[in-house]
Every structure is written in structure tokens, then in C-alpha cells.
Amino acid sequence: MNTEHALTDKIALVTGAGRGIGRGIAERLARDGALVAVHYGHSAAAALEVVAEIRKNGGRAFPVWAELGVPGDADAVFAAFDAGLREHAETERERERDVVGAAAAEGEAAEGEFAKGEAAVEGATAAEGEFAKGEAAVEGATAAEEEAAEGEAAVEREAAVEVASGGRLGSLDILVNNAGTSGSGPIGEAVPEIFDRMIAVNAKAPFFLTQRALPRMRDGGRIINISSLASRRAFPESVAYAMSKGALDTMTLCLAKELGHRGITVNTVGPGFIETDMNARRRKTPEAAAALAARSLFNRIGRPSDVADVVAFLASDDARWITGQYLDVSGGTDL
């Protein structure tokens, strides 16, 4: 599958994109051409680093801050999303105006050179070289005019994005519900505060983010939920976390059936052990890391890119006939 520019003109929102799996997903979608909203809840520095890295590599991104798991979180996310999208559109318009202005100035200069070339031809046969230069200048002027036209078209496209955002419809193509929290422990150690936090961040927030996203999502859009292998294996050491991810899996099934008529696909990706901050405590010693790696058939711990590449596939048109599915992305863990 050739994914270069596969997501051009698409707008994606990735929650929890400041680090780990979310960062990998944001960077991959941007590499495939999407404009990516990099959501974060705590570390602004990490999110801004992701945005800067995407832009350095020629992609497009902007940060979105809102804490999840608190009252009004979904509304806060999309308020920040809309503000970021408008700011991005304005920045792009200013950049394109500069390009158009420079191209116009170059065209005027080229026309002047052409006039000089004509005068030189009339003055002397020896000025043939100057005439040739004038012809080249005309060609340059034509190219400059074409570049200016392309710049104007780009401005119009960005303006359309901003109008769409302000109108709430058509301003989102891909929603990746990635943000999550873990560490609930076995049932004997569970406390209501931790349980409530697990459900609020891992299940309730994606539910209402999706609800708020649907009126603005274009037909043919993509909803991708990042679950966990813990929802498909016995995982008593973090039972509330596993329950919260199980709820996300069920939401995927229900929404896939509800949204099929709009061509919107809804799928779940279930990673196994991935090298992220979330499970760093499980890799504190070489022996512990080796034990985790041994649970995969490939004898290694997964990388964020292992998950991001699957998400990019699901976000693309190549996955248009896949919906309501749980994709195990665990490297064959515990088979």
C-alpha cells in the first residue's frame, strides 16, 4: 500500500498525542498528509514538541489542550480544536499571501526584463542575447503567474476549512480515541476514586468525544479506538482498567452498526505491551523487560510505530470495507 499523501485534505484529531502511542499515531497520520490536531491533557512541552517535529518534517499540525475525565471535557476539547483550526487556517492564509506577493513581484520584474529585451532588439542586432533573456523572462513571468494562481487556490482551500469549522460541519475526518490512564490494581486493592477515574478517562471521555465529533464528521470518516489486549485476556492485576477498555470495545461494535449508512467506519486497535511511559514500571530491570518481550511471538516489546502503522491503514481508504472490528496488535502476545 502506497500511503504517501493518502490522507491529504483530511483532518484528524488524536487524543493523548503528546507521547507514546498517541505521538506515534499523530506523526504517522501527518506523514500521510493529514492535518493533525495533537491533543494533550498535561504536558504542553511534549505536545508542542510533537507539533514542531511534524512541521519540521513537512507535515501540518496544531496543539489542542483539554483535560479528560472531568465535567465538560468533550466540549473543551472541541472548543480548543476549533480555535486551533482557525488559527492554523489564518497562518496558512498569511503564508500563502506572502507567496502570492512574492510571485507577483517576480512577475513584474520579469515583464520589465522583457521590455528591455524588446528595446535591445530594436536598437541593434547584437542585442539578440538580450532578447533571448527577455524571452526567458516572459517564461518566468508565466511561471510566476501560475504559482500565484496556485497560491490563491490554496488560500481558498484553507478558507473553506475555516468556514467548515465555524459551521461545525465537515471539519473532521478522523477521530482517534487514544488517551487513557492505567494502574488500577487487583480488585482487593480497588478504591472508588481510581475506578471512577478509569471509567471517566478510558470510557466516558471517548463516548462523549465521539458524540460531539459526529455532527462535524464528514461522511466516509473514521473513528479508531485504542483499546488494550487486557480486554481480551485475563488481566486481574488491573481489573478496572481492563473493564474500561472492554467498554470501549463494545462502543465500537454499536457505533459501527449505527454509522454504517454514512460510510463512517469504527474500529478498535488492541495493543499488547508497548514501550511507553504507561508500562515503564514493568520494564525497570533487564530481566523484567526480557520477560515482557518473551510473551510476544517475535520476542520483543512493541514500539509505538507498530500500532501507528495499523491506525494509519484503518484511517485510509484502503480500509473502507472494515468496520466493527477489534484488531489485535500485540505481536502474538500470549498465543
Side-chain angles (χ1 to χ4, degrees), residues 114-177:
F114 178 64
K116 288 180 182 179
E118 284 187 319
V121 169
E122 292 173 0
T125 302
E128 288 178 357
E130 288 296 322
F131 179 70
K133 187 186 298 183
E135 285 187 319
V138 170
E139 293 176 358
T142 301
E145 290 173 356
E146 292 176 352
E147 186 175 351
E150 289 177 1
E152 290 175 350
V155 170
E156 291 176 0
R157 287 196 298 271
E158 291 298 335
V161 168
E162 185 175 12
V163 168
S165 176
R168 300 189 64 82
L169 292 176
S171 62
L172 186 65
D173 299 283
I174 303 161
L175 171 63
V176 182
N177 286 309

Side-chain angles (χ1 to χ4, degrees), residues 43-308:
S43 178
L48 292 175
E49 180 181 318
V50 176
V51 171
E53 185 69 16
I54 288 173
R55 291 174 177 173
K56 185 180 76 172
N57 292 324
R60 301 173 299 148
F62 59 91
V64 170
W65 175 82
E67 184 178 357
L68 299 182
V70 298
D73 53 2
D75 289 333
V77 167
F78 280 107
F81 173 86
D82 286 340
L85 192 60
R86 284 192 294 270
E87 183 178 349
H88 171 80
E90 181 58 35
T91 299
E92 287 296 295
R93 279 204 302 274
E94 290 176 2
R95 184 180 66 82
E96 294 298 342
R97 287 193 193 103
D98 291 341
V99 171
V100 171
E106 184 179 336
E108 290 176 2
E111 288 177 356
E113 288 296 321
F114 178 64
K116 288 180 182 179
E118 284 187 319
V121 169
E122 292 173 0
T125 302
E128 288 178 357
E130 288 296 322
F131 179 70
K133 187 186 298 183
E135 285 187 319
V138 170
E139 293 176 358
T142 301
E145 290 173 356
E146 292 176 352
E147 186 175 351
E150 289 177 1
E152 290 175 350
V155 170
E156 291 176 0
R157 287 196 298 271
E158 291 298 335
V161 168
E162 185 175 12
V163 168
S165 176
R168 300 189 64 82
L169 292 176
S171 62
L172 186 65
D173 299 283
I174 303 161
L175 171 63
V176 182
N177 286 309
N178 166 77
T181 187
S182 66
S184 61
I187 192 167
E189 299 174 8
V191 296
E193 293 79 12
I194 298 298
F195 181 90
D196 290 345
R197 177 70 177 165
M198 290 289 143
I199 298 300
V201 175
N202 297 348
K204 184 178 179 180
F207 182 93
F208 285 103
L209 280 169
T210 303
Q211 181 194 66
R212 299 296 193 276
L214 287 175
R216 66 179 67 224
M217 182 171 283
R218 284 187 274 247
D219 289 354
R222 301 285 187 264
I223 299 171
I224 303 166
N225 298 316
I226 307 302
S227 181
S228 169
L229 194 65
S231 72
R232 297 298 176 98
R233 302 286 193 278
F235 199 59
E237 56 263 48
S238 194
V239 62
Y241 172 77
M243 290 174 63
S244 68
K245 291 300 187 178
L248 198 60
D249 298 348
T250 298
M251 184 178 82
T252 292
L253 285 172
C254 295
L255 293 183
K257 188 166 186 177
E258 180 178 347
L259 301 175
H261 72 285
R262 291 183 54 189
I264 295 174
T265 67
V266 189
N267 290 290
T268 290
V269 171
F273 295 107
I274 307 294
E275 289 183 347
T276 67
D277 295 343
M278 184 176 284
N279 60 37
R281 67 188 183 281
R282 294 177 172 269
R283 298 178 279 109
K284 285 184 177 180
T285 67
E287 295 76 15
L292 282 187
R295 295 177 68 172
S296 164
L297 296 181
F298 303 118
N299 197 34
R300 71 171 174 86
I301 299 173
R303 295 181 288 265
S305 60
D306 294 324
V307 181

